[in-house]
Amino acid sequence: MRFTTILLPALVSVLASAQTAQPTQPPKVNPLAVAKPAPPAKPKMTPPAPTAPRPYEFPKVASKTLPNGLKVFVIEDHRLPLLSASLQVIAGGAYAPPEKSGLANMTATLLHEGTTTRSAQDLAKLADNAGGSLSAGAGDDVATLGMTFMKSYSSLGMELLADMTRNPAFSQEEIDRAMRQAQSNLQVSYSSAEYLAPATASRALLGTHPYAYPGDGTPVTLRNIKREDIVAFYKANYAPGRAWMAVAGDVTPDEAFALVEKYFGSWEAPAAPDAKLPAPPAPKPQVVIVDMPTAVQTQIIVGHLGVARNSPDYLALYVANQIFGGSFNSRLNMKLRANEGLTYGANSSFEPARQTGTFQASTFTRTEKTADAIRMLVDLLKEFKQNPASKEEFDEAKAYLMGSFAVGIETAAAVAGRVLTTAVYGLPEDYYPKFRERLQALTREQMSASLQKFLENDKLTIVAVGNAKEFSKELEAYGPIRIIKAEELDLTAPGMVKVKAAANPEAATKGKALIAAALTALGGREKAAAVKDQVLTGKIKLSMPQAAFDGDSEESVLYPAYYKMVMKLPVGVITESVDGPNAWAAQGPQAQDLPPNLAAELRKGIPAAGGGMGLLLAAAAGEAEVQAIDDTTVNWKKGDFEAKLTFDAASHQLVKMAYSSVGMSGPAEMEVQLSDFRPVEGLTLPFHEITLQNGQKVLDRTIAERKLNTGVKPESFKKP
């Protein structure tokens, strides 16, 4: 049942259009209107010189460490009757194993999805009724939990924050829901070059360093995470001795300390030592291309190892980045966008963490200009090292950063964020109170010296996500090239490529035995091979984010190259078909050819249709490779289609098919569960199917009738 990955996005489109479509009116035109000549271009004006910085005093901060080790900071601000609290714990993604990447963020997210005393709905209702908000999430270094409530509800807000922190339930129901949502988000992300480029660059730059792996995980690593992993990660990392809290708003220090002590003072958990992470790999020149053949533009990252947040060079490099690519009128954006017209935008940024960081300059351009954009970006970095800044550029950058600093901490919560940054990253206590003085005292010579020490232009990492064949040859001058097909990209694998299982003669023999037993349970290999076509009719229930729909279905298979699925739903008739080398889809009477990638995806899955009979026959005939994974599961592979087949230990029937697929919304992990086996003309075949997409049930099909060898003709699969 591979059709769901392609048809369901189309159905979403139908539902959306049915709900939102409105009759359109032609634009009104005044026949008497006369086009006016364009006004003459105004001459460019030189912006005024930066003025002297205005006096500014960083708000006072009170601090206290509770007996349990929790460090508390209070920022008093009575302008609004609000109170916010932010708790940061050393429990970020760097402390999760690569094979379970996403564990830290999943754990943090689940903290406000129910406690041992309150359900997720209870937490949300209490916060909403009080006009407050609760939040939780994790980055590379820390997990952050927060609350913002009116002053009159501050005690409730702190109580709920403490309940989330100290008493998470981690219910299996909420874990399953969060996993489905995360997998759905990744499905979209993995089809986006904008997501893949920086994620790939981080892996290329940092290798196997803990910061290298995606914090939201991958489709594979999320499936590795079980409830016991979440509970163990929480117990190992969430402790008052690994945490800092900032309370900000309409509160006095004494009131805030009393509030925190009331709800967090009895929090007891052993604090594991702060782990020292390994050093990142030495920088080296390299080019990594993620190949997306259908892409019409390329996402580009030119990267370099960065520095830790508490590096003595960070402030100088922060100013340097502002000049190079940190603003609209930076050198990078003006060159690639304004002067050359290669892109709509280009920028650069430092991403510092507690123990290291990265520098990434990014842009995008049309495919044929990929090499030109990369050459210009690299040349700009070389030029920047030779000529870091004119006096005007330097003064303008400092003036902007000094002015934006005050704007960026207008609220008490924003000040609290800076205070926590100071604590988490080990900065001097007066770092932000004297930030503008430090910035003002920085000289061009100091910035240049830091840049010379930092930037190694002969050791750049270049990442390009796009149609590789159009530009890969032109990038050979920048270092060794690796080309990774987008569908084979694995951001947690050692070489970022999905690991293929090595051939194992014993596993192959065992796999063939499982296939043979399944064919015997089916009714015998000869009887199965005699089936030339199948027609299945029945009832379906589609479960979608918008709603659930009941309908009728008819699936036709003419082995080995023809397939059709028709779904009759309340919103209309949805059809897709493979007509030998062609593939098409229809919504009602309007039919159109499927894009090549979707057509190929549908075509190669025909053996899985109709209960997977074709998969078993292909394996028995030696047309597909099989390797036993365990006593009931085999890995099935033919060409670029790979599936895991699971058999019932007692009956030997094929009861589950799991595989990766590609739909209109990008990659998807599919699972088809088969049950209710009944006799049909000497064979025993399933009459009930459940299809999961990224862990979420999307289709429930009950088959009313199976007909075999009815003489289905190829003409019935052609596009109308």
Side-chain angles (χ1 to χ4, degrees):
M1 285 282 292
R2 298 177 63 81
F3 73 94
T4 51
T5 50
I6 296 171
L7 276 187
L8 289 183
L11 182 59
V12 172
S13 175
V14 171
L15 295 177
S17 61
Q19 293 172 359
T20 63
Q22 298 292 335
T24 57
Q25 298 293 334
K28 295 181 179 181
V29 179
N30 181 359
L32 301 179
V34 179
K36 297 181 180 180
K42 295 182 179 179
K44 292 183 178 179
M45 301 182 68
T46 302
T51 60
R54 296 180 180 180
Y56 175 81
E57 184 176 351
F58 194 82
K60 292 182 179 180
V61 179
S63 64
K64 180 179 182 179
T65 300
L66 302 189
N68 61 6
L70 178 63
K71 305 167 191 68
V72 184
F73 306 94
V74 181
I75 300 92
E76 192 173 355
D77 185 339
H78 300 284
R79 291 176 296 174
L80 293 172
L82 292 174
L83 184 75
S84 66
S86 180
L87 177 72
Q88 294 195 343
V89 186
I90 303 175
Y95 302 94
E99 67 273 14
K100 294 182 180 179
S101 176
L103 174 60
N105 192 54
M106 183 61 62
T107 302
T109 299
L110 287 164
L111 293 177
H112 69 345
E113 298 300 337
T115 71
T116 55
T117 59
R118 296 179 175 95
S119 68
Q121 292 75 19
D122 292 336
L123 288 173
K125 186 176 181 180
L126 286 168
D128 288 345
N129 288 346
S133 64
L134 300 168
S135 62
D140 283 340
D141 288 310
V142 297
T144 302
L145 292 80
M147 72 87 170
T148 299
F149 278 73
M150 298 290 291
K151 165 76 172 183
S152 55
Y153 289 100
S154 58
S155 183
L156 173 64
M158 193 65 74
E159 179 185 347
L160 297 180
L161 181 63
D163 197 19
M164 288 165 47
T165 305
R166 301 176 58 182
N167 308 307
F170 298 129
S171 74
Q172 191 62 54
E173 181 182 358
E174 291 297 337
I175 291 173
D176 292 342
R177 185 197 59 76
M179 285 291 183
R180 289 194 298 269
Q181 182 63 50
Q183 287 282 15
S184 179
N185 291 341
L186 285 178
Q187 177 186 351
V188 176
S189 297
Y190 268 65
S191 65
S192 166
E194 291 182 77
Y195 172 86
L196 293 179
T200 303
S202 292
R203 271 303 316 271
L205 285 164
L206 294 166
T208 57
H209 189 277
Y211 288 151
Y213 301 98
D216 48 1
T218 72
V220 175
T221 62
L222 287 183
R223 289 198 298 273
N224 294 337
I225 298 172
K226 309 302 179 186
R227 183 181 185 276
E228 54 265 31
D229 300 314
I230 295 169
V231 172
F233 185 84
Y234 171 82
K235 289 181 177 179
N237 295 285
Y238 283 78
R242 293 170 61 87
W244 300 266
M245 176 180 283
V247 182
D250 189 10
V251 66
T252 66
D254 288 344
E255 289 173 333
F257 291 139
L259 198 59
V260 175
E261 286 179 347
K262 178 179 179 180
Y263 293 106
F264 285 89
S266 60
W267 181 21
E268 296 293 341
D274 189 1
K276 179 67 176 177
L277 302 180
K284 62 181 179 181
Q286 57 178 327
V287 179
V288 181
I289 301 174
V290 179
D291 186 21
M292 286 185 165
T294 59
V296 296
Q297 65 180 22
T298 308
Q299 289 287 334
I300 298 166
I301 301 284
V302 176
H304 195 293
L305 278 178
V307 295
R309 181 62 182 83
N310 62 357
S311 166
D313 293 308
Y314 176 76
L315 184 60
L317 294 174
Y318 178 59
V319 176
N321 179 72
Q322 178 68 17
I323 296 167
F324 180 76
S327 67
F328 183 83
N329 63 345
S330 65
R331 290 189 185 184
L332 178 60
N333 194 58
M334 293 304 291
K335 175 68 173 178
L336 270 64
R337 184 185 194 277
N339 298 345
E340 301 295 335
L342 292 176
T343 183
Y344 282 111
N347 61 78
S348 65
S349 64
F350 279 92
E351 299 296 335
R354 295 181 82 217
Q355 300 189 32
T356 189
T358 62
F359 166 77
Q360 295 188 16
S362 61
T363 189
F364 60 94
T365 191
R366 54 194 186 278
T367 300
E368 64 272 18
K369 292 295 183 180
T370 299
D372 290 339
I374 290 174
R375 174 179 52 80
M376 290 181 188
L377 204 162
V378 172
D379 287 347
L380 277 172
L381 281 170
K382 292 178 180 178
E383 179 187 340
F384 189 53
K385 186 171 183 178
Q386 295 171 357
N387 177 27
S390 66
K391 184 179 184 305
E392 291 75 15
E393 286 178 314
F394 185 71
D395 291 344
E396 181 182 342
K398 287 209 306 182
Y400 173 81
L401 294 174
M402 290 180 69
S404 61
F405 173 73
V407 174
I409 54 173
E410 286 185 325
T411 66
V415 174
R418 300 299 196 281
V419 172
L420 287 174
T421 295
T422 300
V424 169
Y425 294 105
L427 301 174
E429 289 187 5
D430 66 352
Y431 183 85
Y432 283 113
K434 294 186 176 180
F435 178 81
R436 299 209 312 170
E437 289 86 340
R438 285 185 170 89
L439 189 57
Q440 185 67 16
L442 183 72
T443 66
R444 276 201 297 159
E445 290 73 23
Q446 289 171 326
M447 188 197 80
S448 178
S450 293
L451 190 65
Q452 303 308 313
K453 180 171 61 175
F454 162 75
L455 189 58
E456 298 180 83
N457 284 313
D458 58 341
K459 297 179 181 179
L460 295 174
T461 289
I462 296 172
V463 171
V465 183
N467 188 358
K469 71 176 183 179
E470 298 297 330
F471 55 78
S472 59
K473 287 289 183 184
E474 298 177 82
L475 304 186
E476 292 177 349
Y478 300 107
I481 292 182
R482 282 188 293 159
I483 300 178
I484 304 172
K485 294 181 179 179
E487 63 271 18
E488 295 179 359
L489 180 69
D490 183 343
L491 292 170
T492 58
M496 290 191 284
V497 178
K498 291 179 181 177
V499 178
K500 298 179 180 178
N504 182 326
E506 293 183 3
T509 300
K510 186 175 180 179
K512 291 177 182 178
L514 288 171
I515 294 292
L519 281 169
T520 299
L522 184 64
R525 179 177 174 183
E526 290 186 6
K527 287 185 178 179
V531 176
K532 304 304 179 184
D533 64 65
Q534 288 196 63
V535 178
L536 296 76
T537 56
K539 298 291 185 180
I540 57 173
K541 184 180 185 66
L542 283 168
S543 300
M544 308 187 68
Q546 292 86 350
F549 296 90
D550 294 320
D552 298 311
S553 71
E554 181 175 283
E555 183 179 29
S556 304
V557 188
L558 176 58
Y559 298 103
Y562 297 86
Y563 173 86
K564 181 189 282 187
M565 169 61 75
V566 180
M567 295 193 296
K568 298 178 181 178
L569 302 165
V571 294
V573 179
I574 309 291
T575 306
E576 73 173 4
S577 180
V578 178
D579 174 16
N582 306 308
W584 55 274
Q587 299 177 16
Q590 297 182 344
Q592 60 182 357
D593 293 332
L594 287 173
N597 62 326
L598 298 185
E601 194 67 24
L602 190 61
R603 190 180 302 113
K604 68 187 181 185
I606 293 176
M613 186 189 304
L615 299 175
L616 302 178
L617 290 171
E623 298 170 359
E625 301 174 14
V626 290
Q627 296 267 320
I629 298 173
D630 53 37
D631 290 340
T632 59
T633 309
V634 303
N635 192 75
W636 185 102
K637 188 175 188 305
K638 181 180 180 181
D640 58 354
F641 178 37
E642 192 167 354
K644 285 183 174 59
L645 310 182
T646 301
F647 306 96
D648 182 79
S651 69
H652 305 295
Q653 296 282 3
L654 175 61
V655 293
K656 185 165 68 176
M657 302 180 287
Y659 50 86
S660 299
S661 189
V662 177
M664 289 182 175
S665 299
E669 298 299 319
M670 307 300 299
E671 182 179 299
V672 181
Q673 301 171 357
L674 308 172
S675 60
D676 189 16
F677 289 85
R678 305 178 193 175
V680 181
E681 300 181 25
L683 297 174
T684 304
L685 298 168
F687 275 69
H688 187 214
E689 297 180 355
I690 292 176
T691 301
L692 307 180
Q693 180 172 298
N694 294 327
Q696 185 170 9
K697 184 165 76 170
V698 291
L699 179 106
D700 191 321
R701 177 164 74 148
T702 300
I703 298 167
E705 185 178 32
R706 275 183 182 267
K707 294 181 180 179
L708 309 180
N709 296 325
T710 60
V712 176
K713 301 298 182 184
E715 293 77 22
S716 64
F717 299 88
K718 291 186 179 298
K719 184 174 73 172

